[in-house]
Amino acid sequence: MSLGGARFTGFTWRPLGRRNPVVAGLDLVIEPGERVLLVGPSGAGKSTLLYGLAGALGTTIAGELSGTAEVEGRLGLLLQNPADAIVAERMGRDVAFGPENAGMSRAEIWSRVDEALASVGLTYGRDHFSAALSGGEQQRLALAGVLAMRPDVLLLDEPTSMLDSDTSASVRDAILSAAEGRTLLIVEHRIEPWLDHVDRVVVLSADGSIVSDGTVQAFLDGPPPAGVWMPGMATPTPLDLPADLVAPDVDALSIAATDVSVELVTRTLRGMQRTQALTGLTAAITPGRTTAFTGPSGAGKSTALAVLGGLLKPNGGTVTPELRRWRSPRLAGAVGWVPQNPEHGFLTSTVGDEVRHSARKLGREVDVDRVLEVFGLGRFATSNPYRLSGGEQRRLALASALAHRPGVVLLDEPTVGQDPSTWAAVVGWITAARSTDATVALSTHDADLPIDAEHRMRDGVVA
Amino acid sequence: MRTLVLRANPLVQLSVGLFSLLGSFWIRSLPVALIALGAYVLVGLLLLPGWRYPLVCLGFTAIAAVTIVYSTWRLGGRDTEEAITAGLRIVVLAGPGSVMAGYVDPSRLADYLAQTLHLPARLIAAFAGALQKFTGFGLAWQQLERVRRVRGFGPSRNPLANGGYAANMSFALLVQALRGASATSIAMDARGFATAHERTWAEPAPWTRLDRWAVVVAAVLGCAPIIARLAGA
């Protein structure tokens, strides 16, 4: 195999705790310098293939591996959860990690660090705390760490999923420029912007087998595969969900924030980083309406949701009612919140228990089987939440936070990592909650989400 | 002046703990113990950037010291002075090191361990990667806390139930840490760590005049029990 090539031969992977393999007997050859887009429905095993090439399966990740996944040359992998990729306390040293491993001179290291940070649009400076970045900013930091290495093979798992369209476009340009003459394997759900820039599209089916593999033109001319956001396709119709599954069990609250300011402090004994996350936010969310907070990463969208839900104390201004002072069970009865990182939301060891957990605490009835079916998780009822794919985990986090039918529904990037059919399920829940008079607020970069009001934010201020 | 501790290089910071450990072996009497501890407290008051964190460290060290005091008193002929001396010896042995460890920057420590002490580069890089995870634990704890509160499993007014809550949160953080460690090791290997045979370092590891003076201060503090004994205390 030549430098920059990659090859799967009879590749089969069954994660620990899963009965069936995610990928079975897969054969695939990627030639040096090829740009390949890997697509397929949520849970099809796309990320698994990247982990296979990185040599993580059967070593760092437990499970049963057979066949081979080989790659020739220096590898750069971007993980789906960017927080996991952080290896240093400050941005500069984090990006420098790859060049240091490659044994570069100090001048070369810093030249690459500055170039990579600039290419992904992170302008805070080398000494900014990595932990003080927002989810989207951490995604760009992780990407900068990969680009600075100038690897022979770039493996990118949803590199722009948490970015707004403008930032996505510039990050995509940075990736394409860095990938010039190198091998590129990208996993993405929203594929349209990539199609003009790749040589080949490989489509996986839900059972992890290859259903089509060819040029972009052949992909576009062929029958549309299931679970793929095809270019120009109409926005999927949100699933029509029965009201009894979603309708609030309590009267929904109206929540108003007036002139709210929040300063986030990342503190260590060696110093602290202050980030003005919100400045003078005035916004109201009301029953029967979906309010969206939009804007670039780091704009304060997640912070706005946390303040409205009584999960974060503002430094100034008022939030009415003051949910922050409510005790936990009372708050849970009124508010459901879906965090950006789904793994932070899991409290039990099986998917089924996770969905019934809050309802049991509050004495509410939940039809767990129907909820899991809605989100395409029915076959995982007895599985451990940590064994699910990224997209499946996000849907489970949403089901767990909302199955007990709170009156206020707060969602942080709810549609990231979803294919058209699972998107329809997630958005179906959101629209059903709205139409049954729940108060819905979300942070999103998804322009297809049906909303009633939008607060476009930038640098902590509603623009 | 209170930033001097932060500006000193990490090996100097850790040397404070090493000298205090060695010096503690010369603590055999209560006056010597009080002089040694007093010296550390005085220098701490003058040079440490804050008082809360050192007090927390002192609190944890005090737990160990109290058990030593009690066992020495019970098993050592119920000699109160000897028991207190043994307890203070533990405070001098462990206290300064535990305080200084908190001020160590993982990346700078790696720079010095690799370039000054010439320890194996890959081992040091992995060690620094693990240490920096502590910065993210605060944020992870915050997120776990929010989720539990909004799902009805937050802390309550019942202190017994809160013990269970704290244990549950700690276990959840442990799970997050272990899962994060696996993912980070994949990310590190995928950024050339697995094949890094000739690793370089982005920052140099210089020894400044401040570092040299700080080592002298650390050594003098460590010698306080010896000086006190020679002076007849």
Side-chain angles (χ1 to χ4, degrees):
Chain A
M1 196 164 44
S2 313
L3 187 70
R7 181 169 55 206
F8 295 91
T9 311
F11 180 77
T12 302
W13 170 249
R14 185 177 65 80
L16 189 72
R18 289 275 281 263
R19 195 173 301 154
N20 300 314
V22 175
V23 178
L26 183 127
D27 295 306
L28 179 68
V29 176
I30 296 165
E31 299 297 339
E34 256 192 321
R35 295 178 177 197
V36 180
L37 186 58
L38 186 59
V39 301
S42 170
K46 304 181 292 295
S47 304
T48 299
L49 296 190
L50 302 193
Y51 281 130
L53 288 176
L57 301 182
T59 50
T60 311
I61 302 174
E64 197 177 301
L65 175 72
S66 60
T68 57
E70 302 163 280
V71 64
E72 190 62 47
R74 194 185 296 164
L75 195 79
L77 167 69
L78 177 73
L79 301 171
Q80 213 172 76
N81 183 357
D84 291 336
I86 292 174
V87 295
E89 196 171 80
R90 295 174 195 269
M91 276 178 22
R93 288 308 291 266
D94 191 86
V95 178
F97 185 76
E100 285 176 328
N101 287 331
M104 292 174 197
S105 70
R106 207 160 275 151
E108 176 70 10
I109 289 172
W110 287 114
S111 142
R112 287 197 181 202
V113 167
D114 293 339
E115 188 186 319
L117 285 173
S119 74
V120 298
L122 281 177
T123 54
Y124 292 118
R126 296 171 180 175
D127 288 334
H128 194 84
F129 277 126
S130 309
L133 299 173
S134 75
E137 288 170 334
Q138 285 186 342
Q139 191 173 35
R140 285 188 274 158
L141 177 66
L143 183 61
V146 172
L147 298 182
M149 293 166 56
R150 298 181 193 158
D152 302 307
V153 181
L154 277 144
L155 309 174
L156 308 179
D157 198 350
E158 301 189 20
T160 59
S161 61
M162 294 160 88
L163 308 179
D164 65 303
S165 58
D166 290 348
T167 315
S168 285
S170 61
V171 165
R172 197 161 40 247
D173 288 345
I175 291 170
L176 293 168
S177 158
E180 197 67 50
R182 300 166 206 278
T183 309
L184 177 63
L185 181 56
I186 304 172
V187 171
E188 270 289 13
H189 280 285
R190 300 295 183 133
I191 60 174
E192 191 166 355
W194 291 99
L195 288 175
D196 286 342
H197 308 287
V198 296
D199 309 311
R200 185 176 160 195
V201 181
V202 176
V203 184
L204 295 183
S205 65
D207 64 2
S209 56
I210 295 174
V211 288
S212 84
D213 178 2
T215 62
V216 174
Q217 198 54 52
F219 166 72
L220 293 173
D221 292 344
V228 177
W229 289 96
M230 293 300 287
M233 79 182 280
T235 303
T237 309
L239 221 57
D240 190 14
L241 297 179
D244 66 300
L245 212 57
V246 184
D249 207 57
V250 291
D251 287 339
L253 299 165
S254 288
I255 306 174
T258 309
D259 202 21
V260 164
S261 297
V262 174
E263 185 183 67
L264 299 177
V265 180
T266 307
R267 200 186 300 269
T268 74
L269 292 168
R270 299 170 295 282
M272 65 167 77
Q273 193 89 57
R274 294 179 185 279
T275 310
Q276 190 65 36
L278 288 180
T279 306
L281 173 75
T282 297
I285 56 175
T286 52
R289 283 171 69 81
T290 301
T291 307
F293 292 88
T294 63
S297 50
K301 305 182 296 293
S302 303
T303 308
L305 286 184
V307 164
L308 287 167
L311 302 169
L312 181 62
K313 182 184 175 187
N315 298 90
T318 56
V319 179
T320 316
E322 211 172 354
L323 300 175
R324 199 175 55 79
R325 299 194 178 280
W326 289 20
R327 303 216 57 92
S328 173
R330 186 182 175 206
L331 183 69
V335 176
W337 173 67
V338 183
Q340 199 172 83
N341 182 349
E343 290 200 358
H344 286 148
F346 300 144
L347 307 183
T348 69
S349 57
T350 71
V351 168
D353 282 348
E354 198 60 49
V355 172
R356 71 170 65 84
H357 203 48
S358 292
R360 188 183 283 160
K361 174 87 175 176
L362 300 170
R364 293 181 187 171
E365 289 294 321
V366 169
D367 190 337
V368 173
D369 293 338
R370 277 170 74 208
V371 171
L372 290 179
E373 281 308 319
V374 164
F375 289 109
L377 300 170
R379 65 200 161 108
F380 301 125
T382 57
S383 300
N384 188 301
Y386 292 111
R387 300 289 172 210
L388 303 182
S389 77
E392 289 161 351
Q393 284 190 339
R394 287 179 187 279
R395 299 202 296 283
L396 175 61
L398 193 141
S400 314
L402 306 180
H404 61 286
R405 302 180 303 282
V408 179
V409 172
L410 305 174
L411 309 118
D412 203 344
E413 302 280 4
T415 58
V416 166
Q418 302 306 328
D419 63 45
S421 73
T422 57
W423 185 93
V426 169
V427 178
W429 193 286
I430 295 169
T431 49
R434 171 195 173 276
S435 58
T436 51
D437 270 344
T439 301
V440 182
L442 44 90
S443 78
T444 188
H445 296 117
D446 186 345
D448 292 327
L449 261 171
I451 55 173
D452 300 301
E454 180 182 1
H455 294 296
R456 183 150 186 82
M457 303 185 70
R458 177 173 281 278
D459 298 330
V461 179
V462 174
Chain B
M1 189 148 158
R2 288 180 180 276
T3 61
L4 291 179
V5 168
L6 299 178
R7 279 160 40 207
N9 86 47
L11 295 183
V12 173
Q13 291 169 333
L14 293 180
S15 76
V16 175
L18 179 68
F19 283 119
S20 79
L21 184 148
L22 295 174
S24 69
F25 296 126
W26 270 265
I27 295 176
R28 300 281 166 81
S29 66
L30 189 57
V32 172
L34 289 171
I35 287 169
L37 185 62
Y40 278 106
V41 169
L42 182 67
V43 173
L45 286 172
L46 287 173
L47 296 180
L48 289 179
W51 53 270
R52 280 190 193 160
Y53 169 70
L55 274 185
V56 170
C57 290
L58 193 64
F60 280 111
T61 315
I63 295 171
V66 166
T67 61
I68 293 288
V69 168
Y70 180 69
S71 55
T72 308
W73 183 76
R74 278 293 297 268
L75 303 172
R78 308 207 167 200
D79 182 333
T80 308
E81 186 172 324
E82 191 174 324
I84 294 173
T85 304
L88 290 178
R89 187 186 301 129
I90 290 298
V91 175
V92 173
L93 184 151
S98 66
V99 171
M100 294 310 293
Y103 297 115
V104 172
D105 179 324
S107 296
R108 285 189 72 206
L109 177 62
D111 291 336
Y112 281 85
L113 289 175
Q115 297 174 77
T116 304
L117 300 184
H118 301 288
L119 296 180
R122 275 169 47 80
L123 176 75
I124 295 309
F127 177 61
L131 281 185
Q132 70 82 27
K133 281 281 168 197
F134 283 94
T135 314
F137 283 168
L139 289 174
W141 181 275
Q142 201 178 58
Q143 290 291 316
L144 295 170
E145 206 167 35
R146 282 181 192 171
V147 166
R148 273 157 181 71
R149 180 158 173 262
V150 81
R151 290 191 62 189
F153 297 91
S156 66
R157 291 197 178 94
N158 180 345
L160 281 179
N162 281 347
Y165 172 78
N168 184 290
M169 281 285 291
S170 303
F171 184 72
L173 189 66
L174 180 68
V175 171
Q176 290 292 320
L178 291 174
R179 287 188 60 77
S182 301
T184 304
S185 79
I186 295 169
M188 287 169 73
D189 281 349
R191 282 162 71 181
F193 182 68
T195 51
H197 302 301
E198 297 290 327
R199 201 176 194 281
T200 50
W201 300 87
E203 297 283 2
W207 281 74
T208 62
R209 184 181 295 175
L210 167 70
D211 294 326
R212 289 189 283 273
W213 274 109
V215 169
V216 171
V217 171
V220 169
L221 281 170
C223 291
I226 304 171
I227 298 167
R229 280 186 69 176
L230 291 176

